[in-house]
Amino acid sequence: MDRWLHPALFYFIGALLLPFFRGKARKAFLLLVPVLSIIDVALMVEGVYGSYHFLNADLVFGRVDKLSLVFAWVFTIMAFLGALYGLHVEEDGHHMAGSFYIGSSLGAIFAGDYLTLFIFWEVMAFSSVFLVWYRREQRSIDAGFRYLLMHVFGGLLFFTGMMLYFFKTGNMVFDQILPANAGLAEYLILAGFALNAAVIPLHAWLPDAYPEATVEGAVLMCAFTTKTAVYVLARGFSGFEVLAILGTAMTVYGVFYAVIENDMRRVLAYHIISQVGYMVAGVGIGTEMAVNGACAHAFAHILYKALLFMGAGAVLYMTGTAKLSKLGGLYKYMPLTMIFYIVGAVSISGFPLFSGFVSKSMIVASAHEEGRLWLMTFMNLAGVGTFLSVGLKVTYFAFFGKESKIQPKEPPGNMLWAMGLTSALCFIIGVYPKALYVLLPFPVEYHPYTLSHVSEYAQILSFTGLVFFLLVGKLAPEDKMNLDMDYAYRKGTRIFMWFDEKVISVVDAFWGELYRRVGLALLFKNARISNGFDRKVIDGVVDGSAVAVRGVGSLVRKLQTGRIQAYIGLSLLMFFLILWLLIKGM
Amino acid sequence: MIVKWIDALRNNLKTLVRVLIVYLVAVVVFDAALPRHGHYLIDKIPVYWTLFGAVGCFILIKVAKGIAHLFLAKDEDFYG
């Protein structure tokens, strides 16, 4: 195919057309969009497409190479699985938000310059937040606003860095940055990316918002935001030592919270931080094998983490709660959901024959090969925690353990099919890793299935299991929430509000009173004097210009109607402009 | 079907535990018998990852639960 079609177009146009479909046609249409985009990605040929010269910068909408393609593959596959899982959702708006979110993620990974990347980056944040808000509970609405605020902050870091970078280099090209050349501009961009990758200490938005999202929305969110961030880090910042260290810290930090959390989906959300930590560390180590590992792990992780969120979501959907302290004994009522969840759990824990084993081990092995034994040790400790929290704790307390009074049914068929298909993919990648390895950006000379390697994982996992069953009483879930970095801004804003109420408004009131008593009296006196001057001298001069100003004013007033539909219309116009630019680049 | 299997396992917990113990011993013996090669000390110690898994899991549970009880865990309506 010599013409290039941006896969984001399917999602943008699909979102706009969705309201015209009803019933079975609507379901077919929801599945057709991702299928078309998968075919589009399959037919793609490497190259640079859709470039424009705009505002002294070259915009590139389509940089197609191995690195962007591996992410495009998994994003479009995930979009299909997510659509299947959410097929029963009635609200068009929910699907549209999801489509814009997926489309803009694809836009971000194919962007070849900072400006294009930034636009899609922001659309991602503003569309995904609706997946939280559609839960329609006060907690979700609040969490959504915090999510948005943090992402706007991250976007500002990115934007400031981008502007500084433009002044420094005179271009907007987004490419590998050498650690030695990095200054303030590059580190600001890095911080903006790091926030989306939930790098500590900029991570708290993730476990705050994802567990409050809709059942179907969380499945999408866990796939796209952090992994787009991993892509941009791999593209621009591989070999940055700070990422190797923070990434490894993330792996342990995430499982630490996953061990103590009570809400199933919050356990999984914290665990995303841990998993993305492996990828960030891989990017930071920066060798070909490590970056390959980061990409492979992103690919495998999107599938099994989505699978886990699907399982936890199915439990929430059918029982109304995801709190482990209220669940138990579900294997009797949701055996299929349990099996699919366990497939996700063994995949993420790195059991041989499942996908995590062939991807995670690549990063750990690259740390080992580089002699970074501390990094390797902490990553393997996080591996222990992964199996302990996601594999054993959640499975035991939700599906086995003490029986609760809840007796749910299996979730709807489309949810089961989505989980079944995702499980199959996790298994296929595990037994046939070559299918994944050929997609990676660098040639792969890594063999996961060696005797010593299998033995290493068998020992770690088996003895983690042993200690879990010896200490299971200590892990009983509790009806508690755990403090995290969001404390700073959640309590911090309260201190600010208190300060505003008690100090600023008191001073303001005092100042107002002072002004009323003293200032106004002086002002009136002053006014009487200047009034005379004004009437006699100024009027003559000003009259002419006043007429001119009034003329301009009425023109501006016509533009600025203050009507919401006019603003929406204007936004749509902007949207179509971007769409047109994309289509023109085909 | 699946439910029946699981119930059968639950009713025969003693046998299950015995099988698992045999499995654990097999895992350890298997690693001890493997030829050692590698540059670093951890590659040369037999059954290193057995100890790592067991001790790591123990420490994680103790430290995480300990810190949670110390100051991290709050009531669910902590933020109102």
Side-chain angles (χ1 to χ4, degrees):
Chain A
M1 198 163 80
D2 53 348
R3 285 172 75 83
W4 184 70
L5 189 61
H6 201 307
L9 280 173
F10 295 106
Y11 295 92
F12 291 159
I13 296 173
L16 296 176
L17 292 181
L18 181 69
F20 298 107
F21 291 92
R22 280 286 162 265
K24 282 199 173 137
R26 180 170 174 273
K27 289 187 175 173
F29 184 72
L30 280 171
L31 293 176
L32 179 71
V33 169
V35 168
L36 288 177
S37 70
I38 292 173
I39 295 171
D40 183 33
V41 171
L43 293 174
M44 252 178 224
V45 178
E46 287 180 35
V48 176
Y49 308 90
S51 347
Y52 306 93
H53 195 72
F54 177 70
L55 292 180
N56 275 340
D58 287 310
L59 302 191
V60 177
F61 280 93
R63 168 171 47 193
V64 183
D65 59 11
K66 291 208 88 167
L67 184 59
S68 48
L69 273 176
V70 62
F71 281 86
W73 269 111
V74 68
F75 279 11
T76 47
I77 293 171
M78 185 56 229
F80 177 79
L81 297 168
L84 183 58
Y85 185 79
L87 213 53
H88 58 274
V89 175
E90 297 284 341
E91 294 114 328
D92 282 341
H94 190 286
H95 290 293
M96 289 163 91
S99 280
F100 277 113
Y101 177 41
I102 297 166
S104 50
S105 311
L106 286 164
I109 58 166
F110 283 117
D113 66 289
Y114 283 117
L115 196 59
T116 311
L117 175 63
F118 179 76
I119 292 168
F120 286 117
W121 195 258
E122 291 299 298
V123 179
M124 277 174 75
F126 280 85
S127 50
S128 56
V129 70
F130 283 92
L131 300 175
V132 182
W133 282 338
Y134 262 107
R135 186 108 181 267
R136 298 171 199 273
E137 284 173 18
Q138 191 57 46
R139 292 172 65 89
S140 310
I141 293 166
D142 296 347
F145 275 114
R146 287 193 296 273
Y147 171 84
L148 204 53
L149 279 176
M150 283 310 280
H151 280 282
V152 167
F153 173 64
L156 282 176
L157 292 175
F158 176 15
F159 187 80
T160 317
M162 175 171 94
M163 285 300 146
L164 290 176
Y165 184 82
F166 183 68
F167 284 121
K168 183 169 146 187
T169 63
N171 69 62
M172 284 278 190
V173 181
F174 172 40
D175 234 322
Q176 169 67 39
I177 291 161
L178 294 175
N181 297 344
L184 178 65
E186 287 83 354
Y187 275 105
L188 278 172
I189 296 173
L190 178 62
F193 290 173
L195 188 137
N196 267 31
V199 173
I200 52 176
L202 302 169
H203 64 279
W205 58 269
L206 195 160
D208 182 21
Y210 285 14
E212 306 300 342
T214 63
V215 165
E216 302 78 13
V219 170
L220 292 180
M221 292 177 85
C222 74
F224 294 102
T225 301
T226 47
K227 259 57 80 184
T228 308
V230 168
Y231 162 81
V232 290
L233 289 174
R235 171 74 71 188
F237 295 93
S238 72
F240 275 62
E241 179 62 19
V242 59
L243 291 179
I245 290 165
L246 284 178
T248 308
M250 284 164 78
T251 63
V252 181
Y253 191 91
V255 293
F256 172 86
Y257 273 94
V259 170
I260 54 180
E261 270 296 336
N262 179 28
D263 185 302
M264 260 174 116
R265 296 204 300 168
R266 192 154 273 127
V267 171
L268 296 177
Y270 267 113
H271 202 267
I272 294 176
I273 298 177
S274 174
Q275 290 282 300
V276 174
Y278 286 97
M279 301 166 215
V280 171
V283 169
I285 292 169
T287 58
E288 286 193 357
M289 182 178 173
V291 174
N292 264 349
C295 296
H297 202 45
F299 196 108
H301 169 89
I302 284 178
L303 296 175
Y304 56 63
K305 183 59 87 180
L307 177 56
L308 292 167
F309 262 98
M310 287 178 193
V315 170
L316 173 64
Y317 188 73
M318 299 311 292
T319 67
T321 183
K323 295 221 169 95
L324 292 173
S325 52
K326 296 194 169 55
L327 296 168
L330 291 182
Y331 78 95
K332 281 186 184 160
Y333 311 103
M334 306 177 80
L336 286 174
T337 306
M338 175 198 74
I339 288 189
F340 295 141
Y341 182 89
I342 289 178
V343 171
V346 296
S347 300
I348 205 170
S349 307
F351 272 63
L353 299 184
F354 291 91
S355 58
F357 178 74
V358 304
S359 61
K360 178 165 76 178
S361 65
M362 220 169 170
I363 302 172
V364 180
S366 69
H368 182 249
E369 209 164 76
E370 293 295 301
R372 312 288 304 263
L373 293 191
W374 278 111
L375 298 189
M376 182 200 183
T377 301
F378 280 112
M379 283 186 211
N380 272 342
L381 182 65
V384 169
T386 299
F387 186 43
L388 172 65
S389 58
V390 176
L392 294 164
K393 184 182 122 180
V394 172
T395 312
Y396 181 81
F397 287 107
F399 295 104
F400 300 97
K402 202 175 69 191
E403 268 193 47
S404 65
K405 292 191 185 106
I406 308 171
Q407 301 187 348
K409 290 197 182 70
E410 290 280 16
N414 63 306
M415 285 180 152
L416 288 174
W417 269 104
M419 288 191 267
L421 273 177
T422 318
S423 300
L425 285 173
C426 289
F427 182 66
I428 291 170
I429 293 173
V431 291
Y432 188 64
K434 245 193 160 166
L436 170 59
Y437 289 172
V438 291
L439 296 175
L440 298 179
F442 302 106
V444 179
E445 287 160 19
Y446 174 68
H447 301 285
Y449 288 103
T450 61
L451 279 183
S452 60
H453 202 192
V454 172
S455 173
E456 175 186 330
Y457 274 75
Q459 291 174 74
I460 292 178
L461 294 169
S462 308
F463 283 85
T464 301
L466 175 69
V467 174
F468 170 79
F469 282 105
L470 294 177
L471 291 181
V472 71
K474 291 249 176 277
L475 277 167
E478 298 162 77
D479 280 320
K480 296 276 181 191
M481 56 85 52
N482 297 298
L483 297 182
D484 197 353
M485 294 291 175
D486 54 342
Y487 183 85
Y489 52 85
R490 292 174 81 167
K491 281 288 176 192
T493 41
R494 264 175 222 198
I495 294 169
F496 175 78
M497 291 305 286
W498 177 87
F499 186 72
D500 178 53
E501 218 169 275
K502 301 283 178 202
V503 182
I504 296 180
S505 51
V506 169
V507 172
D508 184 54
F510 172 74
W511 191 252
E513 189 61 21
L514 192 76
Y515 177 73
R516 203 172 62 78
R517 297 215 174 157
V518 185
L520 278 188
L522 283 173
L523 201 69
F524 275 124
K525 199 166 218 169
N526 196 10
R528 251 171 255 130
I529 300 167
S530 57
N531 186 22
F533 177 74
D534 182 47
R535 241 184 305 170
K536 292 193 178 87
V537 186
I538 307 287
D539 268 8
V541 184
V542 167
D543 265 1
S545 54
V547 170
V549 168
R550 207 170 53 206
V552 175
S554 72
L555 189 73
V556 171
R557 205 164 53 231
K558 270 180 204 143
L559 277 178
Q560 191 152 356
T561 55
R563 288 199 192 110
I564 198 95
Q565 61 267 43
Y567 292 129
I568 293 176
L570 201 66
S571 321
L572 266 180
L573 209 66
M574 295 289 283
F575 170 74
F576 280 113
L577 186 73
I578 296 175
L579 205 63
W580 176 73
L581 278 173
L582 282 175
I583 293 171
K584 224 179 112 215
M586 271 157 45
Chain B
M1 186 183 70
I2 306 160
V3 179
K4 269 189 195 162
W5 284 359
I6 293 172
D7 284 334
L9 287 177
R10 288 190 128 189
N11 293 333
N12 295 295
L13 262 187
K14 261 194 182 159
T15 325
L16 181 65
V17 168
R18 277 189 202 131
V19 171
L20 287 176
I21 289 173
V22 172
Y23 161 77
L24 286 178
V25 173
V27 166
V28 173
V29 171
F30 179 79
D31 192 71
L34 273 183
R36 306 264 132 211
H37 37 71
H39 314 289
Y40 309 108
L41 184 64
I42 55 168
D43 304 322
K44 291 173 187 146
I45 305 171
V47 300
Y48 172 79
W49 296 112
T50 294
L51 298 172
F52 186 91
V55 175
C57 185
F58 181 80
I59 290 175
L60 260 180
I61 294 177
K62 286 288 177 189
V63 171
K65 277 287 179 183
I67 296 181
H69 288 153
L70 202 63
F71 71 97
L72 279 184
K74 298 279 180 234
D75 284 333
E76 283 177 328
D77 56 357
F78 176 73
Y79 288 117

